[in-house]
């Protein structure tokens, strides 16, 4: 149990955010896209304050468009074009190998679409390559809620940590004495958008 808890820790300088295919022409087809975009924007803005490096992919951007403008990906590596479903292309794998001050990260924070296709295939490859994977459930979706929920269940089964955007932010922040605490506090003052993962009757 202790070892599992240790692996669930996220640390500045040893973590990276992967932003998978959050593209313009997919927006209307994805379940709760606007809400996962708002949650993703909050997460990205917080991780920028915490100096967490980011890598962005775009699936066939000529057909599916660019990353949505609501996400500030300035300073991120990429966007890297791809046709394979996993983000673990040779170009992105190369970036991963040195992205944390010349070293590979211990942990990968994973967001994007579609949960059951590109996100899940990325998670599979990352786990096979020895990374701890934190899949951010309220920042991932699919065209249907069924595919989304089953994908999150499968990713949990393969050893991914299924987390929320605020869980990630506070794990990285770690201490209210952190120099960015007040700035982070202003970002999280408004709760994350509800995206249907937990029945309202249980909230």
């Amino acid at each position: 149990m202790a070892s599992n808890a240790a692996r669930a820790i996220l640390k500045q300088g040893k973590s990276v955010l992967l932003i998978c295919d959050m593209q313009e022409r997919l927006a209307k087809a994805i379940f709760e896209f606007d809400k996962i975009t708002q949650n993703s924007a909050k997460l990205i803005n917080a991780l920028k304050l915490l100096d967490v490096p980011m890598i962005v992919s775009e699936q066939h951007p000529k057909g599916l468009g660019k990353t949505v403008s609501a996400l500030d990906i300035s300073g991120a590596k990429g966007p890297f074009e791809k046709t394979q479903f996993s983000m673990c292309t040779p170009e992105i794998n190369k970036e991963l190998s040195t992205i944390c001050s010349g070293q590979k990260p211990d942990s990968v924070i994973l967001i994007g679409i579609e949960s059951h296709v590109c996100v899940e295939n990325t998670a599979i490859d990352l786990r096979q390559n020895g990374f701890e994977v934190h899949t951010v459930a309220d920042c991932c979706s699919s065209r249907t809620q069924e595919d989304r929920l089953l994908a999150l269940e499968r990713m949990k089964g393969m050893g991914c940590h299924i987390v929320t955007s605020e869980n990630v932010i506070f794990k990285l922040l770690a201490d209210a004495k952190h120099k960015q605490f007040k700035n982070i506090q202003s970002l999280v003052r408004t709760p994350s958008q509800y995206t249907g993962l937990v029945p309202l009757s249980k909230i």
Side-chain angles (χ1 to χ4, degrees):
M1 184 64 69
S3 61
N4 287 339
R7 290 198 299 270
I9 294 171
L10 287 166
K11 292 185 177 180
Q12 282 184 266
K14 294 187 176 182
S15 303
V16 63
L17 174 66
L18 265 56
I19 304 167
C20 183
D21 307 348
M22 292 285 288
Q23 291 164 255
E24 300 159 336
R25 293 178 195 168
L26 294 169
K28 291 182 180 179
I30 299 298
F31 177 77
E32 299 285 30
F33 184 84
D34 289 346
K35 292 178 179 178
I36 70 160
T37 299
Q38 288 182 55
N39 294 341
S40 297
K42 178 167 71 173
L43 179 64
I44 289 168
N45 291 339
L47 267 53
K48 279 178 173 285
L49 290 171
L50 297 172
D51 296 319
V52 174
M54 304 180 190
I55 300 175
V56 182
S57 71
E58 292 175 347
Q59 180 77 11
H60 183 51
K62 288 183 180 178
L64 298 176
K66 295 293 186 181
T67 301
V68 292
S69 59
L71 303 182
D72 179 8
I73 59 171
S74 60
K77 301 289 185 180
F80 292 96
E81 294 187 22
K82 65 183 183 66
T83 56
Q84 71 177 45
F85 298 132
S86 171
M87 282 185 73
C88 294
T89 63
E91 295 83 4
I92 290 177
N93 285 339
K94 183 178 179 181
E95 292 292 343
L96 274 175
S97 68
T98 60
I99 199 161
C100 290
S101 301
Q103 298 181 337
K104 71 176 186 178
D106 291 339
S107 302
V108 176
I109 304 155
L110 181 58
I111 68 173
I113 54 178
E114 289 190 65
S115 302
H116 67 299
V117 186
C118 294
V119 174
E120 184 174 341
N121 276 278
T122 301
I124 290 168
D125 284 349
L126 289 169
R127 291 295 293 136
Q128 288 180 337
N129 290 331
F131 292 102
E132 288 298 319
V133 178
H134 298 250
T135 304
V136 189
D138 62 334
C139 296
C140 295
S141 195
S142 297
R143 284 168 292 166
T144 69
Q145 178 74 319
E146 183 175 41
D147 269 327
R148 178 198 192 196
L149 293 174
L150 290 172
L152 291 169
E153 185 178 323
R154 287 191 297 272
M155 283 185 271
K156 182 178 180 180
M158 69 178 74
C160 297
H161 305 288
I162 308 301
V163 297
T164 63
S165 51
E166 287 198 13
N167 176 254
V168 168
I169 291 167
F170 282 104
K171 278 182 177 174
L172 287 163
L173 191 62
D175 194 319
K177 293 180 180 179
H178 194 289
K179 64 180 181 180
Q180 291 292 354
F181 177 72
K182 288 187 177 180
N183 292 324
I184 297 291
Q185 193 175 38
S186 68
L187 286 175
V188 301
R189 189 167 287 125
T190 302
S192 297
Q193 290 290 312
Y194 172 69
T195 65
L197 288 168
V198 180
L200 285 171
S201 60
K202 293 185 179 181
I203 297 178

